Amino acid sequence: MSKPENGSVLDRVRGLAREIARFGAVGGLGVLVNLGVFNLIRQVTDLQVVRASVIATLVAIVTNYLGFRYFAYRDRADRTGAGRTRELGLFVAFSAIGLVIENGILFTATYGFHWDGPLASNFFKFTGIGIATVFRFWSYRTWVFKALPAPPAASLVVEQRDGQAPAAHAAPVPPVAPADAQATVARTPETAAN
């Protein structure tokens, strides 16, 4: 959503509330995917807690990108090839930082404090997701899915004066030829007699 540059404070607050709601909808789905995959991996494999969490986070990142690109921030789409590449690169970089935040908390709880039971693992996984989500919201809206610049306002037509080049954005206006000085002098009875 483009930022209302000249909008009222109420318009800006409403726009931010809509953005947070869309971000929350996509993020909520990502949390469900993340926790679901995490617990599934923990149930069916013998992977360590943090490794299972990293895999679950990567699956959620893919889900989130699709949701953010095609739902939450669809109006901020840079449809150029270079724009999409930049967007995806930044998304991956900031998602990786979020992954480290999220799984760093789980790592500290599991290996630093030995809180590694299923309930504790889910609690710290969820806590890590929450803290990483604040970072992700800020970074995605600030750097990845930036508001597109507002379209330029309609330009004013600039009149061309004698001897001036036409403005670059204005349509060229043919120069006004100066009228012949003698032809423009009004013939008065005094000048007509001469």
Side-chain angles (χ1 to χ4, degrees), residues 40-49 51-52:
L40 180 66
I41 290 172
R42 295 278 294 155
Q43 292 295 321
V44 299
T45 69
D46 292 333
L47 277 178
Q48 296 174 352
V49 173
R51 287 184 185 166

Side-chain angles (χ1 to χ4, degrees), residues 13-89:
V13 169
R14 285 181 183 153
L16 182 61
R18 283 190 299 273
E19 181 180 349
I20 290 171
R22 289 192 309 250
F23 185 92
V26 172
L29 176 63
V31 168
L32 292 176
V33 167
N34 199 335
L35 291 173
V37 171
F38 172 68
N39 284 299
L40 180 66
I41 290 172
R42 295 278 294 155
Q43 292 295 321
V44 299
T45 69
D46 292 333
L47 277 178
Q48 296 174 352
V49 173
V50 176
R51 287 184 185 166
S53 179
V54 168
I55 292 168
T57 302
L58 291 172
V59 172
I61 286 171
V62 171
T63 304
N64 286 347
Y65 179 76
L66 295 173
F68 289 137
R69 166 52 31 238
Y70 298 106
F71 174 68
Y73 294 115
R74 69 181 175 272
D75 56 342
R76 295 184 183 185
D78 185 351
R79 288 175 173 75
T80 64
R84 283 287 169 99
T85 302
R86 177 195 127 321
E87 174 187 282
L88 186 57

Side-chain angles (χ1 to χ4, degrees), residues 148-189:
L148 296 174
S155 62
L156 298 175
V157 176
V158 178
E159 291 183 26
Q160 179 182 355
R161 294 187 182 145
D162 292 336
Q164 291 182 338
H169 64 277
V173 178
V176 177
D180 184 46
Q182 291 180 2
T184 58
V185 174
R187 300 262 177 190
T188 61

